[in-house]
Amino acid sequence: MYVQALKIENFRGFTTMNSPLLFSKNINVIVGPNNSGKSTILRSIHYLQESNDSFYPNDISKSKDEGHIRVVVNDAEHLKIPKNIDTNSFTMYFGMKKDGNITLNMLTDGEDTNYIKFSNNEPDNLIYPYTAKRKVTSFNPSISEQVTNSVTGNLSTLPAKTDRSINPGSETHKEYIQVCEDIFGKDFFFTTMSSGEGKNVGIKVNNYESITIDRMGEGVASILGLINILCGAKNKVFLIEEIENDIHPLALKSILKLIESKSSTNQFFISTHSNIVTKYLGAVVNAKVFKTSLRLENKIPITEIEEVPNDITSRLKVLEDLGYEPVDYGFWKGYLFLEESSAESIIREFLIPTFAPKLSNVVKTFSTKGKDNVLGKFDDFNRLFVFLHLEPTYKNKVWVIIDGGKEEKEIIDKLKNMYVKEDGWNEKHFDQFPQHTFEKYYPQRFQEEVEGIFSSIKDTYEKKIELLKKVIDWSTKNPQDAKIEWGKSAMEVIEKLKEIEKHLSKA
């Protein structure tokens, strides 16, 4: 089941829509300035379900007598449609006049039937709202069936939802445990514990002591609340406002990954001010991005909304509006990710110009600044280009080469599993240098200093930077000697650069 289309007329800032908005079955991202109509889109869809978030006569646009909303729902044969009407598709029509008179109909196959909203209780709900006002001053300690199954749009029922998720007999128990471990880590297991007339959520220290969630950052409750409704969800519609609020970027990316996995069986409408959310979810296959804007007409704010066109300029403009600082990627024919800044500097400053000159001003080099950042940096890069180009444009024009070593091999194997097996990349684009530290490739004249650095237990990083500057300075001032000595000491690195040069010359 999914919301196929929406048309709003004369509600709030929406005065006219020349044609309905057509949505993705999976993910719909809505971006735009504050007060530009993003929440109105979500509220209009929410009206399919019982809600206190109702429209009122003063929601009708200024100088208009009545407003209308039409929501088209498709692939609904598996749902218990209100009034037990057996249909695959229906349109909910909602109209209101200034005098408060409301018309609420369901249109199916040309028939006009009184519409009864979907339940605001699980499992008969259609929609999970997650509003910008989801924070609460206190959590409801009750874990009664009524509280557990209620759909509130805020975090008030977090203890009851969590208590259900951690129950080994729950259908979502295993998924909940795994998702929490992936996002929070193995050492942070969120459970429930007795509190007053019911339960609270937190982490148990021992049988008698706990750290409750109200003593943690607000982002923790926000993440946990979303996990509880995402786990096990199927054939539901999620209306999520500003998912990025109070959440650290790394945790946010984990939540977005969960949403991506759930989008195959659920539909998402997500309003955001975040370029991270936009480029991450906008890169998902079949996702759509919509942009709202405001203009003044006779001093009255008018909302306009459009689907962001599938071209680089339009999509890059969206990211710029959200604060993303773009680099002109268009000038680069290929990209090379390296583990350490020392490797990136030497390769960029000397080895490419000297031994693979056709890569100069053609290949952009990046340092991930440590092996632990390789996976995240490369994934961010890939998603940005998929978002801008709607396909992996730079597939097989990007190389990741990191140092040798067991842990590094595990990282390369993960990249191969993600991009070679799943997306068909050439496995030669994910590789390692034989040496565990790039400094081992420095010319022989510097190896005594290299050994001294790595045998030391103090100020290793500062000494590496100092030596790097010394090596680059010598290589620049003595190009002929440097070419001979680098040609011997860094032959394994040079061979890989020449392979990249050969590959790109054919592209």
Side-chain angles (χ1 to χ4, degrees):
M1 174 269 139
Y2 69 101
V3 176
Q4 181 182 29
L6 172 68
K7 189 171 185 180
I8 306 173
E9 295 177 289
N10 300 332
F11 266 108
R12 295 196 161 196
F14 289 90
T15 53
T16 59
M17 276 189 181
N18 295 328
S19 57
L21 296 173
L22 301 179
F23 297 122
S24 165
K25 294 181 180 180
N26 310 109
I27 292 177
N28 300 276
V29 180
I30 306 169
V31 302
N34 290 330
N35 199 38
S36 63
K38 300 187 298 295
S39 294
T40 301
I41 297 292
L42 272 58
R43 287 182 65 189
S44 299
I45 297 170
H46 194 191
Y47 211 75
L48 287 165
Q49 186 162 297
E50 292 178 20
S51 168
N52 293 325
D53 187 20
S54 301
F55 285 104
Y56 301 97
N58 61 1
D59 284 317
I60 297 174
S61 301
K62 296 292 184 182
S63 75
K64 304 296 181 181
D65 294 325
E66 58 184 299
H68 310 273
I69 296 173
R70 289 175 175 83
V71 185
V72 180
V73 176
N74 213 332
D75 287 353
E77 71 277 1
H78 62 280
L79 293 175
K80 184 179 179 181
I81 299 296
K83 291 303 219 180
N84 295 318
I85 296 175
D86 185 16
T87 180
N88 182 57
S89 176
F90 67 88
T91 298
M92 186 280 288
Y93 168 82
F94 169 71
M96 176 179 280
K97 295 184 178 181
K98 283 286 189 183
D99 61 8
N101 185 38
I102 297 176
T103 302
L104 185 61
N105 289 337
M106 185 167 117
L107 311 177
T108 62
D109 300 327
E111 295 184 10
D112 189 344
T113 307
N114 289 335
Y115 181 76
I116 301 176
K117 295 181 181 181
F118 284 89
S119 173
N120 225 26
N121 291 285
E122 299 171 313
D124 297 325
N125 65 304
L126 170 66
I127 292 171
Y128 279 113
Y130 207 59
T131 71
K133 298 179 180 179
R134 52 186 170 268
K135 295 180 186 178
V136 292
T137 55
S138 61
F139 302 106
N140 186 345
S142 173
I143 56 170
S144 67
E145 182 179 9
Q146 180 181 357
V147 173
T148 302
N149 294 336
S150 63
V151 178
T152 62
N154 59 44
L155 296 170
S156 62
T157 61
L158 184 60
K161 301 288 189 189
T162 304
D163 194 69
R164 179 177 63 187
S165 296
I166 64 169
N167 190 318
S170 169
E171 295 178 359
T172 62
H173 174 72
K174 290 183 179 179
E175 184 179 10
Y176 170 82
I177 298 298
Q178 185 60 57
V179 170
C180 284
E181 183 176 304
D182 292 342
I183 294 176
F184 295 111
K186 294 182 179 180
D187 297 329
F188 293 87
F189 176 69
F190 287 90
T191 184
T192 55
M193 61 283 298
S194 299
S195 175
E197 297 179 357
K199 292 188 175 183
N200 200 350
V201 181
I203 298 172
K204 276 189 170 293
V205 177
N206 53 47
N207 285 342
Y208 306 100
E209 297 177 292
S210 305
I211 302 174
T212 55
I213 201 163
D214 50 339
R215 295 163 61 190
M216 303 179 190
E218 291 180 341
V220 176
S222 187
I223 294 171
L224 198 62
L226 195 51
I227 290 173
N228 274 306
I229 57 177
L230 282 171
C231 287
K234 189 174 182 181
N235 297 318
K236 302 296 184 183
V237 176
F238 286 82
L239 307 177
I240 304 176
E241 290 186 287
E242 299 170 16
I243 189 173
E244 66 273 14
N245 286 357
D246 302 316
I247 300 179
H248 185 275
L250 288 178
L252 176 60
K253 290 176 183 179
S254 297
I255 286 289
L256 298 179
K257 185 176 181 180
L258 177 60
I259 287 174
E260 179 182 2
S261 69
K262 290 294 181 179
S263 67
S264 61
T265 54
N266 299 278
Q267 186 181 30
F268 291 85
F269 293 85
I270 299 176
S271 68
T272 184
H273 296 126
S274 166
N275 70 76
I276 294 175
V277 174
T278 303
K279 72 182 181 183
Y280 195 105
L281 295 182
V284 176
V285 176
N286 297 322
K288 287 190 175 186
V289 179
F290 297 88
K291 181 181 178 181
T292 59
S293 59
L294 278 178
R295 61 180 175 84
L296 290 178
E297 188 175 287
N298 297 323
K299 297 184 178 180
I300 297 176
I302 304 297
T303 295
E304 295 180 339
I305 184 168
E306 63 173 344
E307 182 179 346
V308 178
N310 294 340
D311 61 73
I312 298 174
T313 302
S314 298
R315 290 200 158 209
L316 189 55
K317 180 63 167 60
V318 167
L319 295 183
E320 288 176 339
D321 290 344
L322 293 170
Y324 175 76
E325 298 180 2
V327 176
D328 193 352
Y329 292 100
F331 290 115
W332 304 101
K333 195 173 182 180
Y335 297 83
L336 173 59
F337 281 78
L338 299 152
E339 180 181 339
E340 298 291 349
S341 57
S342 56
E344 192 274 331
S345 297
I346 291 294
I347 288 173
R348 169 172 47 83
E349 297 287 340
F350 190 77
L351 296 187
I352 284 180
T354 305
F355 298 99
K358 291 181 181 179
L359 297 183
S360 296
N361 301 318
V362 171
V363 167
K364 173 68 175 176
T365 57
F366 292 98
S367 166
T368 64
K369 295 179 173 58
K371 65 179 183 297
D372 294 336
N373 299 324
V374 173
L375 290 170
K377 293 284 188 182
F378 185 76
D379 185 59
D380 283 347
F381 170 89
N382 186 60
R383 286 184 177 277
L384 172 63
F385 277 101
V386 172
F387 173 78
L388 292 177
H389 298 266
L390 300 180
E391 59 182 25
T393 304
Y394 286 86
K395 178 179 177 180
N396 292 329
K397 295 181 183 177
V398 185
W399 286 259
V400 179
I401 308 177
I402 60 177
D403 295 343
K406 183 179 178 181
E407 292 182 1
E408 287 83 353
K409 184 179 185 304
E410 291 176 355
I411 293 170
I412 292 298
D413 287 343
K414 286 181 180 179
L415 284 168
K416 287 181 178 180
N417 285 332
M418 292 167 63
Y419 295 99
V420 176
K421 290 184 179 180
E422 295 182 13
D423 294 336
W425 285 59
N426 187 329
E427 68 175 359
K428 292 182 179 180
H429 288 243
F430 305 96
D431 203 355
Q432 292 176 264
F433 296 123
Q435 293 287 0
H436 184 55
T437 54
F438 191 81
E439 284 78 7
K440 293 289 185 180
Y441 290 114
Y442 286 3
Q444 185 60 41
R445 66 175 63 224
F446 298 104
Q447 284 306 309
E448 184 175 342
E449 292 179 76
V450 171
E451 292 295 332
I453 289 173
F454 288 100
S455 63
S456 174
I457 59 174
K458 291 179 61 179
D459 304 324
T460 301
Y461 177 77
E462 289 76 9
K463 291 178 180 177
K464 285 177 64 176
I465 296 300
E466 184 179 338
L467 179 58
L468 172 63
K469 292 178 180 178
K470 183 177 180 180
V471 171
I472 291 178
D473 182 63
W474 173 81
S475 299
T476 303
K477 292 179 178 178
N478 303 278
Q480 295 303 321
D481 290 342
K483 183 176 183 179
I484 294 172
E485 294 190 31
W486 276 109
K488 295 178 181 178
S489 65
M491 184 180 298
E492 294 168 339
V493 178
I494 294 167
E495 286 177 351
K496 292 185 185 298
L497 293 176
K498 288 184 174 180
E499 288 177 7
I500 295 173
E501 186 180 46
K502 182 178 179 180
H503 180 95
L504 289 178
S505 67
K506 296 178 180 179

